Amino acid sequence: MKLNTSVMQKLFFLTLISSVLFSCQKQSSEPSQITNPKRPNIVWIVCEDMSPEHLESYGGTGGKTPHLNALAAESLQYQNAFSTAGVCAPSRAALITGAYQSSIGAMHMRTTGMSANALDAYPPGFKSYSVVLPEGMRTYPEYLRLNGYYTSNNSKEDYNLAKDGQVWSEGGRKATWTNRPDKDQPFFAIHNFTVSHESQIRKRPHQQIHDPAKVRVPDYHPDTPEVRQDWAQYYDKLTEMDKMVGDKLKSIEEQGLADDTIIFYYGDHGSGMPRSKRWPYFSGINVPLIVHVPEKWKHLASTDYKAGGKSDRRVGFIDLAPTLLSIVGKKPPIQMQGHAFMGKHEATAQEYGYGFRGRMDERYDMVRSVVGEKFIYIRNYMPHKPYGQHVSYMFQTPTTQVWKRMFDEGKLNEAQSHFWKTKPAEELYDLVNDRDEVKNLVKSKEHADILKKMRKAHLDHINRIIDVGFLPEGEIHSRSEGSTPYEMARTDKYPFKRIFLSAEMAAGLSPWATKTLTAYLKDKDSAIRYWGAMGLLMRGKKGVSMTGKHLEKALSDDSPYVRVVAAEALGKYGNKDQISKALETLGQIADPIKNGCFPSMLAMNAIDHLDDKAKSLLPMIESMPQVPEGVDKRFQGYVGRLVKTTTEELKGQQ
């Protein structure tokens, strides 16, 4: 039977309207809460300051960990999992966003992490230095909530990012999946244990469990009773942590959730011992990662998943956010720079992992690393600074104190002394034959091809993510005003390739670069002038003697960061008149109230590096408040620590 034209047109329009209505209905089904019983629950058990080499399931001889051993026996254990930094807050920034912290401006330890509401407590005109994400960049708990999950975080939210609006369904020390109102709703829950944190290693008195005589002391640490006790206490804390993990696993089992819950166990970075924590060496960023997928959800497991198996695939914190989205069936957005390693959208395995180091509390530094199958490459962009700068929090550990004292007394061998000296521009270590990373292979002809390949991987990565760490910290914020660091970096406000080239030239330490670095001092971009001054500082007395007049002009630069670096160069290597001018400049910029926290901290660091040449500034420094009012609360402590440390050192030299 044939339909006439009029009837056919009516049917066409009815079909079109039905299609539109269905489409609208489908779009409106992406609200904030959807119960979907066909999705697994996900639990993350996170332990702080944890290196896999000390866990039994990884072949370590550290603390006894029977519960983790049992979990590993029915899960997949990753042998090459990495945080993106050797310290918590910057690593968590990458973890929660799926974007490298140096791409979003959160690589320093710490930014303020202040919410917009917190600004109400400050005077009018006060500026927060919290790192903000672009409008379209969401964190993984927000994506999970949008896809029907109840999300709880117990309890750390130390993400180096400003918090505005709701991120979690529930947070705090009482947050857990059992609090969700709809018991059929799938959940994502974090339980973070701090018992193994750096602060617990040095807590005294302590009832010793493991024998200090039986610990393994790494090649870079001196073998002393203090060092052995710290390592043994760390082992004790691993055993305490293991019991907590066991209790959490037991609660999942007892509540009948085991068959529907995917479990991740991991550490937030390497051990809390000095030279592991805060450093992007393998010992600082290699973390344990054990993933358990119940039989019911094996279709979401990685392609190499095997219960009780081990995987050499390189995976990292940068991959966790996209992996979560892949597990729940959502394709990771393009802003996420990691790669899902399980779920519907599992990506191909990556050849390298990447590590970072920026400012650590009150001390500035800039290091990048690349981890491959057998080697790790380190690029130091501030090689003139010693590894072991005086970070006050790190110096509370007895190991740090005795280690530095023995260096000052000349009682250490070459490997043990290395940490207290300045750095080479590049480092390369064989992770198979040199587990403690003490034999630098950069000058080895046998490893020249490996060095070249890993150096290229570093350069490609830095360009791919557009690393904003090549700006002085304050300029990350000033150039981003009205926007975000991530967005700013993709505009002409950040001529990345030119700035990156100037940093490469500065930290390349080639003598012939002096003329180029001097020309950088006249560049229109302040960051290039900054690296020009930095490069001349790195070249020491010879570089300063050749360019002293140019550095003197830089003492009047529009940028306080250029002025500080030029002053440090002249104060350290200049003549008597130049030292006097440098000290006057540093004394003016050191005040955090007049100049802001970032210029102040940079100036105080420079003063500290001048040693006894800065004695004339002692009265000024002593007059500075150790808890300066009117500056961001996060930085009150950092400025105060610099005041205290510098005062003590200058007094000790009088």
Side-chain angles (χ1 to χ4, degrees):
M1 184 175 72
K2 294 184 179 180
L3 297 175
N4 63 38
T5 305
S6 177
V7 173
M8 291 179 65
Q9 287 176 337
K10 288 179 180 178
L11 285 173
F12 172 78
F13 284 115
L14 284 171
T15 303
L16 180 61
I17 291 170
S18 298
S19 175
V20 171
L21 288 172
F22 176 78
S23 175
C24 291
Q25 186 179 23
K26 189 175 181 180
Q27 289 178 16
S28 66
S29 68
E30 290 257 325
S32 59
Q33 296 293 337
I34 307 169
T35 300
N36 188 340
K38 295 182 179 180
R39 292 180 180 181
N41 305 315
I42 305 167
V43 171
W44 281 5
I45 301 175
V46 187
C47 299
E48 302 200 355
D49 300 18
M50 181 74 52
S51 290
E53 67 170 305
H54 304 119
L55 297 180
E56 288 181 311
S57 67
Y58 280 86
T61 57
K64 297 298 179 183
T65 53
H67 298 102
L68 282 176
N69 295 347
L71 178 65
E74 48 188 42
S75 308
L76 182 63
Q77 179 172 284
Y78 288 89
Q79 305 296 101
N80 292 297
F82 307 99
S83 64
T84 49
V87 71
C88 58
S91 284
R92 283 191 171 90
L95 190 152
I96 200 169
T97 61
Y100 286 98
Q101 61 269 47
S102 55
S103 180
I104 59 177
M107 78 293 293
H108 296 299
M109 179 68 183
R110 293 178 170 91
T111 61
T112 65
M114 183 187 296
S115 68
N117 293 335
L119 286 172
D120 295 340
Y122 288 85
F126 177 83
K127 290 184 179 180
S128 166
Y129 297 109
S130 292
V131 172
V132 180
L133 296 177
E135 184 79 25
M137 186 180 284
R138 286 182 170 138
T139 60
Y140 74 75
E142 293 175 279
Y143 279 117
L144 290 178
R145 284 195 302 109
L146 286 169
N147 282 269
Y149 274 74
Y150 182 87
T151 61
S152 64
N153 182 359
N154 186 333
S155 61
K156 205 160 189 177
E157 295 190 16
D158 191 9
Y159 294 110
N160 243 18
L161 301 168
K163 181 182 178 182
D164 280 320
Q166 184 178 9
V167 176
W168 301 92
S169 303
E170 179 189 19
R173 296 184 184 277
K174 295 182 179 180
T176 184
W177 64 79
T178 59
N179 296 335
R180 68 195 191 283
D182 181 356
K183 301 309 178 186
D184 291 326
Q185 183 180 7
F187 62 81
F188 170 86
I190 288 181
H191 284 268
N192 188 93
F193 299 138
T194 60
V195 66
S196 52
H197 186 264
E198 170 188 17
S199 58
Q200 305 305 304
I201 294 174
R202 58 203 185 206
K203 186 178 283 186
R204 306 289 192 271
H206 172 73
Q207 184 64 46
Q208 206 80 48
I209 300 173
H210 292 84
D211 184 356
K214 295 181 180 179
V215 305
R216 187 187 86 84
V217 177
D219 291 343
Y220 47 81
H221 280 167
D223 192 343
T224 72
E226 297 92 338
V227 174
R228 285 188 169 274
Q229 182 175 350
D230 284 350
W231 275 112
Q233 187 157 326
Y234 167 59
Y235 289 1
D236 293 348
K237 293 299 176 181
L238 298 190
T239 299
E240 288 183 46
M241 172 274 300
D242 181 75
K243 184 180 183 304
M244 294 178 178
V245 173
D247 291 342
K248 191 57 59 181
L249 295 174
K250 184 179 179 181
S251 69
I252 293 172
E253 188 76 37
E254 289 178 343
Q255 292 174 34
L257 298 169
D259 292 341
D260 279 304
T261 304
I262 295 174
I263 298 169
F264 286 63
Y265 164 83
Y266 65 89
D268 70 340
H269 51 73
S271 85
M273 291 291 280
R275 212 216 77 156
S276 290
K277 188 164 184 176
R278 300 179 182 86
W279 284 94
Y281 286 107
F282 192 77
S283 62
I285 62 176
N286 185 212
V287 297
L289 173 62
I290 301 172
V291 178
H292 175 71
V293 182
E295 188 64 36
K296 180 178 178 179
W297 301 102
K298 285 291 176 64
H299 61 284
L300 297 176
S302 59
T303 51
D304 61 349
Y305 188 88
K306 181 182 178 181
K310 296 180 179 180
S311 173
D312 289 327
R313 178 174 179 167
R314 272 165 296 289
V315 299
F317 282 9
I318 196 69
D319 303 317
L320 289 178
T323 297
L324 281 176
L325 297 192
S326 179
I327 289 173
V328 304
K330 183 176 178 62
K331 186 175 182 179
I334 194 170
Q335 296 96 327
M336 288 189 175
Q337 298 163 345
H339 301 81
F341 55 86
M342 58 186 291
K344 181 180 179 180
H345 300 284
E346 180 179 350
T348 57
Q350 299 298 297
E351 186 174 7
Y352 297 110
Y354 301 92
F356 302 82
R357 172 180 163 92
R359 174 177 53 76
M360 290 294 149
D361 294 356
E362 70 268 31
R363 299 295 180 178
Y364 279 100
D365 204 353
M366 184 176 180
V367 186
R368 303 291 185 262
S369 64
V370 181
V371 184
E373 183 180 2
K374 297 179 180 179
F375 294 88
I376 184 169
Y377 169 79
I378 310 283
R379 180 64 167 103
N380 295 303
Y381 283 97
M382 296 182 179
H384 62 298
K385 295 179 182 291
Y387 295 92
Q389 294 188 73
H390 190 106
V391 176
S392 295
Y393 195 73
M394 180 182 73
F395 264 79
Q396 293 179 32
T397 302
T399 289
T400 311
Q401 297 169 15
V402 69
W403 191 9
K404 180 61 164 65
R405 184 172 69 247
M406 291 180 70
F407 172 76
D408 293 339
E409 294 170 351
K411 296 180 179 179
L412 302 178
N413 62 33
E414 183 178 350
Q416 296 163 349
S417 299
H418 188 71
F419 187 66
W420 304 106
K421 298 178 180 179
T422 55
K423 319 178 198 76
E426 294 180 303
E427 301 171 65
L428 180 70
Y429 298 102
D430 182 338
L431 298 174
V432 177
N433 299 304
D434 178 20
R435 66 184 294 185
D436 291 328
E437 302 160 88
V438 296
K439 299 174 183 176
N440 188 0
L441 301 173
V442 162
K443 295 182 180 179
S444 166
K445 293 182 180 179
E446 181 184 346
H447 297 88
D449 289 343
I450 294 169
L451 174 64
K452 184 178 180 180
K453 183 180 179 182
M454 297 192 77
R455 182 189 290 146
K456 183 179 185 302
H458 160 67
L459 297 175
D460 289 346
H461 176 69
I462 293 298
N463 278 275
R464 184 166 56 249
I465 68 169
I466 313 183
D467 190 325
V468 298
F470 292 92
L471 288 174
E473 185 177 10
E475 288 197 18
I476 295 175
H477 300 281
S478 62
R479 295 191 190 207
S480 300
E481 194 164 338
S483 180
T484 67
Y486 181 87
E487 292 169 299
M488 173 274 296
R490 286 149 179 79
T491 69
D492 57 7
K493 290 183 179 180
Y494 185 42
F496 170 70
K497 291 190 182 299
R498 293 186 64 238
I499 294 173
F500 177 44
L501 178 63
S502 68
E504 280 285 309
M505 183 70 71
L509 301 186
S510 301
W512 56 265
T514 303
K515 186 175 181 180
T516 302
L517 294 169
T518 305
Y520 285 163
L521 292 176
K522 302 175 184 177
D523 197 273
K524 63 181 181 180
D525 193 286
S526 58
I528 293 175
R529 301 197 301 273
Y530 166 83
W531 281 108
M534 187 77 76
L536 295 173
L537 168 61
M538 292 177 196
R539 280 153 183 78
K541 191 170 184 63
K542 186 174 182 180
V544 172
S545 64
M546 292 174 62
T547 60
K549 290 183 179 180
H550 298 283
L551 286 168
E552 284 186 54
K553 288 183 179 179
L555 295 179
S556 301
D557 196 275
D558 291 339
S559 166
Y561 311 107
V562 177
R563 296 201 299 272
V564 167
V565 178
E568 183 177 349
L570 291 170
K572 201 169 183 68
Y573 302 110
N575 58 40
K576 187 175 180 179
D577 182 54
Q578 289 170 334
I579 292 172
S580 178
K581 292 177 181 177
L583 292 176
E584 182 181 0
T585 298
L586 293 174
Q588 292 171 351
I589 299 175
D591 188 328
I593 309 300
K594 293 180 180 178
N595 303 290
C597 299
F598 301 126
S600 170
M601 286 196 297
L602 195 64
M604 287 298 297
N605 271 274
I607 291 169
D608 189 44
H609 295 156
L610 297 183
D611 300 325
D612 61 340
K613 292 181 179 179
K615 285 189 297 186
S616 63
L617 294 179
L618 181 58
M620 181 275 296
I621 296 170
E622 285 186 296
S623 70
M624 290 175 63
Q626 291 196 14
V627 185
E629 297 291 334
V631 303
D632 193 305
K633 288 183 180 179
R634 177 71 79 186
F635 295 107
Q636 284 179 348
Y638 296 159
V639 173
R641 291 175 197 175
L642 287 166
V643 170
K644 183 176 184 294
T645 301
T646 307
T647 299
E648 290 174 351
E649 291 183 357
L650 290 176
K651 281 186 173 181
Q653 291 163 356
Q654 283 186 314

